[in-house]
Every structure is written in structure tokens, then in C-alpha cells.
């Protein structure tokens, strides 16, 4: 028997991983063409009794997959999820025991569903259109043999009133309700079995703003009344700020930052969190925010970037110690390097500004036809690079790479840019650094090896500082 204290998480995940096979079928697998989509990649998570943990991030970062893997609605690829299950003796509470949800049998997992419930994102598709509201809410009661007959009916009426609906709605069908009312029905269904933990998978994202506030307030009231613990999935930081005690910021299958709501909304930030916070509008018509616009797009989880997964878009990506460039210029150099690395043709790297009439396409100039000086000017203009970099060694390396591009040697340009402009963020995977009582940021800027000017790392092969050298032909 495990003695549960305030320091013992009610639900805990260790190295939780979920990969999806992207192969097109048997033939791809046979030929070795399959590749894993790394939807959730080694996530550690704790949920304490009576708290709300908000998980926030862009669409496609793995939030919903994480939520489903936690409750084994999808089978995790690796890792463990531990739950402190209530134990009773002779109908009386007798403590808790720790259960690994990833290893229990299907029958035991089904029994645990009375403690662990899920509210789905779409209130329109998550309710069976062929069942009445009473049957939808009563189904968990039937499955777990909790109530029958008049007791079942009374329980359904009670649940409807609890979520702000009228018991007379029992015999209606889902299509007769608004989106907010349907989500209340979904909440009532989750509450039917008296759970301890509810995973809320973006429960308000499909609702109008005014209805969102009603549902959030309802969830908070239910938490206070019933002692519930929530994992609240969302893509809007302003929503999770309202309801969460702690927040985990997710990017490309990993947690970038985890901390209390106050800590996450106060410096220091992970650069990704800072960008998300900058996008929250203020209720002031004269407000002019310094919104951070991230370059590029979210990389594919089929082939996540090396090192820090955010480095391909990070405005604070660390420079090699030998350079001293303006940060926005360094970001532009990295953007050029990444584009060249993925390019198949010169036209995909840069285009000549179109100064011809729209209907005169035949007279437009190809970048391949430009003289050397104009070619270099087009490249620099495309990536907001100055005519000459302030650092002479960096300028020499950049000019040589552009010369390689002019000779249509994309491979050679890629090699030169890789040799000269490799950030520590591309080489080292950040481990979460403790920046507060329970505040963890997975960023090399918070690493003890980074002193605000240079990142010191020992190369495993040579035993020397490997992040301070610059290729110089």
C-alpha cells in the first residue's frame, strides 16, 4: 500500500512515447520504407490531486495524442503512466495503490475507467446521434453496473442539473442542442462514474467565446465541488491561464516548459513560450504589442530537427562563440542555411523580384540568368541580410556559400553553410533546467554551460570545446 501525500502525484507519466507507422502498407514495410511519426516523444508529466494541469501548444504538436496515450485510448509506444488508485475495504476507503496503466489488463483498465474519464474536443461528433441524452449519460452507469431502474434515472436527472441542463432534456437527441449544451452533456457523461481525473481535450475550442467562458466556469465549479483533477488541453494560452494551476508548453512532441501559471507567464521564458505569449491580444484598442513572428513552419514529426527541436524557428538561437552578429542577422543566416539544405533547385531558394506586368510572364527573369553581383543581391534581399555582415569571418563564409549557389552547386553551398554556421542548438538536445521551485525550461539558454555569450560543450571524440570553432577556408 502506498501512502499518498501532497507531494505524491495522482497521475504520473515517465518517458511517455507514441510513434505512428507512416508506411503505406505491407510493401513499404517489406522494403524498409516505413518511418515513424514521433507524435509524443519522451514526455514526463505529473498531475496532483485537485489541480489543473494545462497543456498548450500549436496544432499538430502532439497534445491530443498525449491525452489519449495517458488513458490508453491509444496504446503508447513506450514509457509508463502511474495512477494512485483508490482502495476500499468493506466499503470504506483504505488508502491507495500505484497502478501502471500501460501494463494492466484490459479488464483492469476497464475498471479504472471509473476513476479516469475523458471529455472530447468536438461536442458534435463525440455524442452518438442515435441515442437520447438519457441513454448517453446512462451508458457508463450500465457498463460499470453502477445504477439501475429508478436509481439510474435519478442519477441522470442529477447529472443534468449539475451541468446546468434541465432533466426534461433526458429524452431529446443531440441534434436538438447547441454546441455548448452538447459539451455539457459530454461533461455529464464523464461525471457519471464519479471520476477523480478528467482529461479535457480542447473542450471549448469548437465553441463561441461567450459559451467558452460558461464551460470553463462550469469546470471550475465542478472541480471545487467534487475535488476533481484536470489535464486541460488547449492551443490558447489565455484559456489555460484562466483555469490552470500549472502549465506545460508542448512543441513537436516534447515539453518545452513546465511550471506554475505565474511562473510560465513571467520571465524567464522558453523562446517558444515567449512567442505564444506575445500573440495574446490585450483588451485595449490602442494597444500595440511586440508580437514575435516565428519564421518557417513547424517541422514534420516524421523527421524532427536535431538538437533543440525549436531551433529551426527560434528567434534566440545561439550563435557559434566565434561570431558576434546581430541576433536578427544570425537568424536570417540560419534561415538561408535551412532553405539551402532542403532545396532541390535555385528557384526554391530565392526568386527574382517581379517588376514586369502580370500578363507578361515571358519577359520575367530567372535567377539563373542574373549576373553574379545581382544574384548575390537577390539572395541577401530574400533573407533580409545586409550587404556585408559585421563579422568578417562570417561574411567570408557566407559569400563563399553564395558563390557556390551561383555556380548551381547547392550541395557545396550546403556543406559550406553547415561548416561555418552550426549553432549549439542544432547539436545538443536541451535537458529541462530548473529555474524556479517547480519551473523547468528545456532550452540551452538556461543551461549552466551557457554564460550569456558562449556555449561551452565538450566534444565526446576529441575532448575539446566543440562549439567554439569556425570553419574558415
Amino acid at each position: 500500500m502506498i501512502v499518498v501525500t501532497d507531494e505524491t502525484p495522482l497521475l504520473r507519466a515517465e518517458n511517455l512515447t507514441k510513434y505512428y507507422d507512416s508506411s503505406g502498407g505491407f510493401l513499404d514495410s517489406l522494403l524498409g520504407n516505413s518511418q515513424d511519426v514521433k507524435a509524443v516523444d519522451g514526455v514526463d508529466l505529473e498531475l496532483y490531486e485537485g489541480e489543473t494541469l494545462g497543456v498548450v501548444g500549436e496544432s499538430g504538436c502532439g497534445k491530443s495524442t498525449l491525452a489519449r496515450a495517458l488513458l490508453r485510448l491509444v496504446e503508447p509506444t513506450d514509457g509508463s503512466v502511474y495512477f494512485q488508485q483508490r482502495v476500499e475495504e468493506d466499503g470504506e476507503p483504505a488508502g491507495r495503490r500505484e497502478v501502471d496503466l500501460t501494463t494492466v489488463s484490459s479488464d483492469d483498465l476497464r475498471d479504472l475507467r471509473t476513476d479516469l474519464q475523458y471529455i472530447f474536443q468536438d461536442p458534435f461528433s463525440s455524442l452518438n446521434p442515435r441515442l437520447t441524452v438519457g441513454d448517453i449519460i446512462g451508458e457508463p452507469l450500465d457498463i460499470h453496473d453502477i445504477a439501475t431502474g429508478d436509481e439510474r434515472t435519478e442519477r441522470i436527472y442529477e447529472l443534468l442539473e449539475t451541468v446546468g441542463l434541465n432533466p426534461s432534456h433526458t429524452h431529446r437527441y443531440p441534434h436538438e442542442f447547441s454546441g455548448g449544451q452538447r459539451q455539457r452533456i459530454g461533461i455529464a457523461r464523464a461525471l457519471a462514474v464519479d471520476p477523480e481525473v478528467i482529461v479535457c481535450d480542447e473542450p471549448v475550442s469548437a465553441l463561441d467565446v461567450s459559451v467558452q467562458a460558461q464551460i470553463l466556469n462550469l469546470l471550475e465549479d465542478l472541480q471545487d465541488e467534487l475535488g476533481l483533477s484536470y489535464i486541460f488541453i488547449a492551443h490558447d494560452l489565455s484559456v489555460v491561464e484562466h483555469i490552470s494551476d500549472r502549465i506545460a508548453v508542448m512543441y513537436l512532441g516534447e515539453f518545452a516548459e513546465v511550471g506554475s501559471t505565474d511562473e510560465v507567464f513571467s520571465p524567464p521564458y522558453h523562446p517558444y513560450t515567449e512567442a505564444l505569449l506575445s500573440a495574446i491580444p490585450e483588451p485595449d484598442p490602442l494597444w500595440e504589442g511586440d508580437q514575435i513572428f516565428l519564421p518557417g513552419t513547424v517541422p514534420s514529426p516524421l523527421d524532427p530537427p536535431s538538437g533543440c527541436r525549436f531551433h529551426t524557428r527560434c528567434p534566440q538561437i545561439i550563435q557559434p562563440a566565434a561570431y558576434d552578429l546581430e541576433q536578427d542577422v544570425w537568424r536570417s543566416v540560419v534561415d538561408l542555411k535551412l532553405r539551402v539544405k532542403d532545396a532541390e533547385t535555385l528557384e526554391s531558394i530565392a526568386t527574382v523580384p517581379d517588376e514586369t506586368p502580370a500578363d507578361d510572364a515571358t519577359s520575367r527573369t530567372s535567377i539563373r540568368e542574373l549576373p553574379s553581383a545581382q544574384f548575390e543581391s537577390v539572395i541577401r534581399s530574400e533573407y533580409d541580410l545586409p550587404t556585408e555582415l559585421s563579422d568578417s569571418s562570417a561574411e567570408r563564409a557566407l559569400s563563399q556559400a553564395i558563390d557556390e549557389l551561383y555556380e548551381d552547386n547547392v550541395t557545396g553551398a550546403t556543406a559550406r553553410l553547415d561548416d561555418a554556421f552550426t549553432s549549439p542548438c542544432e547539436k545538443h538536445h536541451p535537458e529541462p533546467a530548473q529555474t524556479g521551485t517547480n519551473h523547468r525550461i528545456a532550452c540551452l539558454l538556461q543551461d549552466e554551460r551557457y554564460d550569456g555569450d558562449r556555449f561551452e560543450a565538450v566534444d565526446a571524440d576529441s575532448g575539446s570545446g566543440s562549439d567554439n570553432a569556425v570553419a574558415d577556408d
Side-chain angles (χ1 to χ4, degrees):
M1 190 69 63
I2 291 181
V3 178
V4 177
T5 69
D6 292 339
E7 302 301 320
T8 305
L10 187 61
L11 186 72
R12 173 171 56 93
E14 292 183 355
N15 192 39
L16 188 61
T17 302
K18 178 58 183 178
Y19 292 172
Y20 291 100
D21 186 357
S22 67
S23 63
F26 172 75
L27 186 58
D28 280 345
S29 300
L30 187 65
L31 296 175
N33 295 332
S34 63
Q35 196 173 6
D36 288 329
V37 177
K38 299 178 180 178
V40 177
D41 203 5
V43 166
D44 294 335
L45 171 151
E46 305 89 26
L47 175 71
Y48 294 89
E49 190 169 0
E51 82 161 347
T52 298
L53 173 66
V55 179
V56 66
E58 293 172 279
S59 296
C61 73
K63 304 184 302 296
S64 293
T65 302
L66 170 63
R68 291 168 184 260
L70 281 169
L71 301 193
R72 266 184 68 184
L73 297 181
V74 297
E75 288 293 335
T77 304
D78 198 6
S80 299
V81 180
Y82 300 101
F83 174 63
Q84 306 298 333
Q85 184 184 22
R86 294 177 290 194
V87 176
E88 293 185 355
E89 291 180 4
D90 299 326
E92 296 295 329
R96 293 181 181 271
R97 64 185 180 93
E98 186 171 82
V99 180
D100 185 351
L101 300 181
T102 61
T103 61
V104 298
S105 67
S106 298
D107 289 340
D108 289 340
L109 183 62
R110 181 172 175 170
D111 291 339
L112 284 164
R113 297 292 185 211
T114 58
D115 292 320
L116 305 163
Q117 280 292 303
Y118 200 98
I119 298 173
F120 294 90
Q121 176 179 357
D122 187 356
F124 296 91
S125 63
S126 61
L127 303 180
N128 190 332
R130 298 182 179 181
L131 297 181
T132 65
V133 168
D135 288 336
I136 289 171
I137 298 174
E139 189 174 25
L141 302 175
D142 300 336
I143 290 173
H144 295 284
D145 196 23
I146 293 175
T148 58
D150 291 342
E151 185 183 355
R152 177 182 184 274
T153 303
E154 287 301 318
R155 177 65 174 157
I156 293 170
Y157 289 168
E158 177 188 337
L159 288 165
L160 286 171
E161 289 181 339
T162 299
V163 299
L165 295 176
N166 196 302
S168 63
H169 294 159
T170 302
H171 302 292
R172 295 186 183 181
Y173 288 87
H175 71 270
E176 301 179 63
F177 296 89
S178 66
Q181 289 174 319
R182 292 189 198 194
Q183 200 58 288
R184 290 174 186 267
I185 296 168
I187 294 171
R189 177 177 59 185
L191 294 174
V193 292
D194 190 24
E196 285 195 279
V197 175
I198 298 181
V199 176
C200 308
D201 186 5
E202 300 206 45
V204 297
S205 63
L207 307 177
D208 294 338
V209 174
S210 59
V211 181
Q212 287 184 12
Q214 296 173 17
I215 297 299
L216 292 175
N217 290 333
L218 171 63
L219 289 172
E220 286 188 314
D221 292 341
L222 292 172
Q223 185 174 46
D224 293 339
E225 179 183 349
L226 304 174
L228 299 169
S229 302
Y230 294 138
I231 293 178
F232 191 94
I233 309 294
H235 60 265
D236 186 343
L237 263 173
S238 59
V239 170
V240 295
E241 179 187 17
H242 175 75
I243 197 171
S244 300
D245 300 298
R246 287 190 304 124
I247 295 174
V249 181
M250 196 168 187
Y251 184 79
L252 208 59
E254 298 180 338
F255 280 168
E257 181 171 357
V258 181
S260 70
T261 301
D262 289 340
E263 288 174 323
V264 169
F265 275 76
S266 302
Y269 310 110
H270 188 284
Y272 178 58
T273 306
E274 188 173 7
L276 293 178
L277 289 170
S278 76
I280 300 176
E282 295 288 337
D284 181 356
L286 300 179
W287 174 74
E288 294 183 5
D290 296 325
Q291 185 169 351
I292 299 172
F293 294 96
L294 300 177
T297 57
V298 179
S300 170
L302 276 170
D303 186 22
S306 60
C308 175
R309 293 187 175 181
F310 187 55
H311 83 258
T312 61
R313 305 172 71 200
C314 180
Q316 299 181 45
I317 182 173
I318 299 173
Q319 301 182 37
Y323 294 149
D324 185 21
L325 298 171
E326 296 265 343
Q327 186 61 32
D328 59 341
V329 173
W330 168 241
R331 177 68 257 178
S332 295
V333 171
V334 175
D335 289 341
L336 170 61
K337 170 188 158 181
L338 293 172
R339 182 77 68 85
V340 170
K341 186 175 182 179
D342 293 336
E344 296 181 357
T345 64
L346 284 178
E347 287 77 8
S348 63
I349 297 172
T351 55
V352 180
D354 187 7
E355 299 176 353
T356 61
D359 58 351
D360 190 15
T362 57
S363 63
R364 296 177 186 175
T365 305
S366 166
I367 192 171
R368 296 174 183 274
E369 301 171 5
L370 297 178
S372 175
Q374 191 176 355
F375 177 90
E376 181 169 347
S377 176
V378 167
I379 293 291
R380 290 180 184 264
S381 176
E382 179 90 7
Y383 296 91
D384 295 324
L385 290 166
T387 305
E388 184 174 342
L389 300 185
S390 59
D391 187 291
S392 59
S393 59
E395 170 60 31
R396 184 162 55 253
L398 178 63
S399 295
Q400 290 169 347
I402 293 176
D403 289 343
E404 296 279 10
L405 289 176
Y406 183 71
E407 298 296 329
D408 202 10
N409 184 7
V410 176
T411 302
T414 299
R416 285 192 178 275
L417 291 170
D418 268 337
D419 288 342
F421 301 112
T422 296
S423 165
C425 300
E426 299 176 62
K427 298 166 63 178
H428 304 284
H429 188 276
E431 296 298 327
Q434 200 82 13
T435 62
T437 306
N438 292 302
H439 190 202
R440 304 192 302 271
I441 300 178
C443 177
L444 294 187
L445 292 171
Q446 305 298 329
D447 195 295
E448 60 183 9
R449 294 170 292 178
Y450 180 72
D451 64 4
D453 180 47
R454 69 175 60 220
F455 183 89
E456 296 286 353
V458 175
D459 184 83
D461 297 325
S462 66
S464 60
S466 60
D467 290 313
N468 300 322
V470 179
D472 187 8
D473 294 338

